[in-house]
Amino acid sequence: MATLTTVTVPVPRSDKGEATRAAIATAAQALFLERGYDKTTMRAVAERAGVSLGNAYYYFGSKEHLIQAFYDRIQVEHTAAAEAALAHETTFAGRLRGTLTAWVDVAEPYHHFAGKFFKVAAEPASPLSPFSPESAPAREASVALMARVVDGADLKVPATVRGELPELLWLAQMGVVLFWVHDSSEGRRRTRQLVDRAVPLVDRLVRLTRLPGVRGAADDIVALVRSLRA
Amino acid sequence: MATLTTVTVPVPRSDKGEATRAAIATAAQALFLERGYDKTTMRAVAERAGVSLGNAYYYFGSKEHLIQAFYDRIQVEHTAAAEAALAHETTFAGRLRGTLTAWVDVAEPYHHFAGKFFKVAAEPASPLSPFSPESAPAREASVALMARVVDGADLKVPATVRGELPELLWLAQMGVVLFWVHDSSEGRRRTRQLVDRAVPLVDRLVRLTRLPGVRGAADDIVALVRSLRA
DNA sequence: GTCTATAACTAGATAGAC
DNA sequence: GTCTATCTAGTTATAGAC
């Protein structure tokens, strides 16, 4: 159980501060895309933003904090791109595939420094960890998106399973992200293959939970997941 | 598909070099345990080892390379500890549980800096990534251990499933490690609970693959895993 | 060629004045 | 809020010793 720690995030109180903060974030994003994370120095970010090094640190506690903006950006873009797919897909498999493929599309421009990205996110103490309190809004938004995948679909499964499905699908998405990070094929061809092949499988597994022999096991999985959240 | 990159590892050619290398690794391990990863400086490691800073870098390309020794140590200790459990367990569930619990026991002393550990391992380009070529020996040893879990057990499942089971169980172990890294409960109580609850579930799921309706899905999973390895 | 050492460089982070 | 000056520690360059 994570102890709840208070994190001091310098939220700008004035309009001027807001503008400065945005300038720094924008400069960082541009430089990360141009040169990648490692080759972008805090000094270069500050210079491009037109502020001093010390001032950049006033708004962002560390270089890693500048990454959070990408997290948020991808999340927002993904939701928009997924909605387009969800609008015309009615089957569970179609909706899930559309949503996952939309993520791969949206994330592509950032792949070349996704390693650093992921590295930071993997540290438990990091606010960028997908399990951290700070990431709760983005995580909940992603789970909510998976809920929309399930809700609009032609899916008949036990209520217990259905209730936990969005969170389980989010976890599956984390698995896709893990694969994607390691995928150096052109255009993330291999990740797309993984999605195309795994989705029908997931579809099949989910529907199998209606089988008497399988349902008990599925309920146990649900109970386990619930107990881990506590 | 990972491109095969040549990695220059300075393997000492003389006995003296070997001794120096060992002294540095030993000093690093002691300091990491005493103060943690972040608070251990390369200068401190060099000093404790009785060598210059530059010399430390001659043997270890970066501070992160010093972590590899822990990887190897845990792997060796885990195999030994697991053998003890495997010697008197005959059921699949018992053998799996003993092996996973042995890992939690062995890894406990290193938990306080496991975050850094994991952070480094999460970067795809890192030689410490569990999927990297450099980690192949340790990974293969872990998979081989899982093969021993399966081989000595009372398990009747389709041959296709059985063939991939060691690797799938290794993947499950990675999941336990991920949970463990984030687990701040005393004595890793929650991770142990996870193992205790998940093992019977895995046992049940594996045996379910004999059901006609489930077997097809299981074969698809096996096929997917195989295609991803290519 | 294999090792080892010293000095210098780089960039993330902090302290304190304004 | 913003700046300048400074600190720290990972890393590299390079010269020389075995």
Side-chain angles (χ1 to χ4, degrees), chain B residues 43-60:
Chain B
R43 283 164 179 84
V45 170
E47 189 177 9
R48 165 117 21 146
V51 301
S52 69
L53 178 62
N55 201 10
Y57 273 99
Y58 177 79
Y59 289 98
F60 295 91

Side-chain angles (χ1 to χ4, degrees), chain B residues 13-165:
Chain B
R13 317 208 185 288
S14 69
D15 280 358
K16 191 172 82 169
E18 188 64 60
T20 307
R21 183 190 183 78
I24 295 165
T26 303
Q29 295 206 16
L31 285 168
F32 287 163
L33 284 171
E34 284 172 30
R35 317 177 187 173
Y37 182 79
D38 278 342
K39 289 200 189 128
T40 298
T41 67
M42 287 297 283
R43 283 164 179 84
V45 170
E47 189 177 9
R48 165 117 21 146
V51 301
S52 69
L53 178 62
N55 201 10
Y57 273 99
Y58 177 79
Y59 289 98
F60 295 91
S62 75
K63 186 178 176 183
E64 295 187 348
H65 279 79
L66 289 170
I67 297 181
Q68 182 86 48
F70 278 97
Y71 246 53
D72 299 341
R73 182 198 276 211
I74 290 180
Q75 159 57 31
V76 170
E77 286 183 30
H78 179 215
T79 301
E83 290 296 345
L86 293 177
H88 63 86
E89 293 281 356
T90 55
T91 65
F92 172 61
R95 292 170 75 83
L96 181 58
R97 184 179 174 283
T99 300
L100 291 176
T101 300
W103 190 89
V104 179
D105 290 337
V106 163
E108 178 61 24
Y110 315 114
H111 185 269
H112 67 108
F113 62 87
K116 282 295 163 340
F117 209 89
F118 199 69
K119 175 179 183 173
V120 169
E123 193 175 23
S126 168
L128 290 174
S129 162
F131 304 104
S132 77
E134 288 87 347
S135 294
R139 183 173 63 245
E140 281 157 18
S142 292
V143 173
L145 187 57
M146 284 302 176
R148 280 190 36 65
V149 168
V150 175
D151 285 342
D154 57 331
L155 205 58
K156 289 189 179 56
V157 290
T160 47
V161 172
R162 193 180 180 110
E164 297 300 321
L165 204 47

Side-chain angles (χ1 to χ4, degrees), chain A residues 67-76 117 121 127-130 135 138:
Chain A
I67 297 180
Q68 182 85 49
F70 278 97
Y71 245 55
D72 298 341
R73 184 198 276 212
I74 290 179
Q75 160 57 31
V76 169
F117 209 90
L128 289 174
S129 162
S135 294

Side-chain angles (χ1 to χ4, degrees), chain A residues 1 64 115-116 118-119 122-124 129 131 179 181-182 184 190 194 197-198 201 204-205 208 213-214 216-217 220-221 223-224 227-228 230, chain B residues 1 64 115-116 118-119 122-124 129 131 179 181-182 184 190 194 197-198 201 204-205 208 213-214 216-217 220-221 223-224 227-228 230:
Chain A
M1 174 89 44
E64 295 185 349
K116 282 294 163 341
F118 199 69
K119 174 178 184 174
E123 193 174 24
S129 162
F131 305 104
F179 189 88
V181 167
H182 286 82
S184 55
R190 276 167 54 77
L194 168 64
R197 297 196 57 171
L201 200 45
R204 191 167 168 187
L205 286 173
L208 272 178
V214 181
D220 283 356
I221 292 177
L224 177 59
S227 81
L228 293 181
Chain B
M1 175 94 41
E64 295 187 348
K116 282 295 163 340
F118 199 69
K119 175 179 183 173
E123 193 175 23
S129 162
F131 304 104
F179 189 88
V181 167
H182 286 82
S184 54
R190 277 167 56 76
L194 168 65
R197 298 195 57 170
L201 200 45
R204 189 167 169 188
L205 286 173
L208 271 178
V214 181
D220 283 355
I221 292 176
L224 177 58
S227 81
L228 293 182

